[in-house]
Amino acid sequence: MYRFTKTKKLTRTRYTFNHIKFVLLIITFIFFFITFISIDQPTTISLKTNLISQSESNLIAGVVLRQNHNQNTFKGLKIYVYELPAKFNTDWLSNNRCSNHLFASEVAIHKSLLNSVVRTLDPSEADFLFVPVYVSCNFNTSNGFPSIGHARALISSAIDVISSELPFWRRSNGSDHVFVASHDYGACFHAMEDRAVANGIPEFMKNSIILQTFGVKHRHRCQDVEHVVIPPYVSPEKVWSTLMKSPVNARRDIFVFFRGKMEIHPKNVSGRFYSKRVRTEILKKYGNDRRFYLKRHRFDGYLTEIVRSVFCLCPLGWAPWSPRLVEAVALGCVPVIIADGIRLPLESAVPWPEISVTVAEKDVGRLAGILENVAASNLSLIQKKLWDPKVREALLFHDDVEDGDATWHILVELVIRLDRSHRMSRVFNQLSRYT
């Protein structure tokens, strides 16, 4: 009896001790978390930062639980959008083309983040900080193409502004900052690959996260940075306008479609041939083939031709990617990808192998036979998966983030990279010391 009573008292004592220890641990965590919040406040508000009170945040174990349907998807992700002087972004919108051409994802992502549930007005509580600089709206007066020779200087100037006004760039050396580089070779900022590789990614961007359209499966200097491969911009309004007149399951009377630059006699531009002569070979081989609808010039209504087509050729241009990838998928035409080694946009969200046909550049001479074989075997299965509205939505940008759209999937990719968040790493580092 005595031993039993003594054992019972020892058990109570241990339980009480462990309970006190647990309470002390919780109190210690709360103390350090509050300390973390208080020491991480910005020192200036000259970039128009509208700070919100930390007491208004619902923080549980260092993670913000959003009171909406995205709370589980985005895991409390918070993004601060720098409010830069207008010369870095909105001034360029005076040209309507700026927000509608193939590089306009830099504009679309900025707009959607401003209205997004993940946006925070307090940079001290952000996981990532977005730097909105438009570099693709400087159109060449002679040919109308975007000229990005000024990109490095403009972005460098923006970084000078944000690093002089707020402490967050220097704190992480830019590792939790996000940029968009929606150009031929991404953050290398040049349309010609050899020049792009020679220039490389600017040193001041090498620690950051780049959202870029360029991506290849092999090692390449222009993707030697933390990056997400995103789709080129295609106007969702034009897509829906086309589909209202002709739905994806309507009759398709064009077997193989391509409209765009094809040179009969390729021009040697300092040793570089456009499309590596792939488009020229397609024109030579199939220019008189009735199964192939090949046109060398674009016109405003070409989307109405895509929605009538079974297969849409997506050959490389100067870079491997093309807006045709998005146009074809959005309008239900099976993309025929002819760009060796390409990494396709948002591969974790879009089932590219199931909705497209890939042809090696060296095999363009066998293109007709390859596509005839697909049409005779598994075309209906490909089309069934391709015509899923979720596939189309994943490649389109909107002014507001919509469930499953391109920006939505980009945010999911950033959630995967939360280990780069300065805020989260400090919280979890402090947690690990006391557990």
Side-chain angles (χ1 to χ4, degrees), residues 121-297:
L121 300 178
D122 185 347
S124 68
E125 69 171 18
D127 296 299
F128 298 109
L129 298 95
F130 181 76
V131 188
V133 183
Y134 305 166
V135 302
S136 304
C137 299
N138 184 30
F139 299 108
N140 190 307
T141 54
S142 61
N143 57 27
F145 296 135
S147 176
I148 56 174
H150 68 304
R152 292 169 183 262
L154 191 65
I155 295 174
S156 177
S157 178
I159 291 173
D160 287 342
V161 172
I162 64 177
S163 61
S164 64
E165 300 281 355
L166 292 171
F168 305 105
W169 176 269
R170 287 196 178 94
R171 178 188 67 183
S172 64
N173 199 21
S175 66
D176 53 2
H177 284 59
V178 181
F179 297 85
V180 180
S182 53
H183 326 100
D184 291 274
Y185 287 95
C188 281
F189 299 113
H190 205 283
M192 303 297 180
E193 185 171 18
D194 56 349
R195 290 285 299 277
V197 170
N199 294 337
I201 298 169
E203 286 294 327
F204 52 77
M205 295 180 71
K206 285 186 175 179
N207 291 321
S208 301
I209 300 174
I210 312 297
L211 310 179
Q212 61 180 35
T213 42
F214 172 70
V216 288
K217 295 177 182 177
H218 54 272
R219 181 73 182 270
H220 197 287
R221 194 177 181 193
C222 296
Q223 63 179 15
D224 194 15
V225 65
E226 185 67 33
H227 64 283
V228 178
V229 181
I230 65 173
Y233 183 82
V234 171
S235 167
E237 290 79 15
K238 290 183 179 180
V239 167
W240 287 115
S241 174
T242 304
L243 291 175
M244 287 292 290
K245 299 172 184 175
S246 182
V248 291
N249 58 357
R251 179 174 176 270
R252 294 178 179 266
D253 59 326
I254 298 172
F255 186 59
V256 183
F257 170 80
F258 179 83
R259 181 182 284 277
K261 183 177 180 181
M262 291 183 291
E263 295 166 332
I264 299 175
H265 304 291
K267 299 175 184 177
N268 185 323
V269 182
S270 302
R272 300 171 294 243
F273 288 95
Y274 186 70
S275 190
K276 298 180 182 178
R277 298 186 180 180
V278 167
R279 298 190 187 187
T280 300
E281 292 303 313
I282 292 172
L283 183 61
K284 285 182 178 180
K285 178 79 175 179
Y286 301 109
N288 296 317
D289 191 321
R290 291 187 177 182
R291 295 169 296 179
F292 284 72
Y293 185 92
L294 305 177
K295 303 295 178 181
R296 297 180 59 207
H297 302 288

Side-chain angles (χ1 to χ4, degrees), residues 15-48:
Y15 174 80
T16 302
F17 176 76
N18 288 335
H19 181 72
I20 293 172
K21 184 179 178 181
F22 177 75
V23 172
L24 288 173
L25 180 61
I26 295 298
I27 293 172
T28 303
F29 165 69
I30 293 172
F31 169 77
F32 277 98
F33 190 77
I34 292 172
T35 303
F36 159 74
I37 292 172
S38 62
I39 65 174
D40 209 23
Q41 298 297 320
T43 58
T44 178
I45 56 169
S46 55
L47 278 180
K48 302 178 184 178

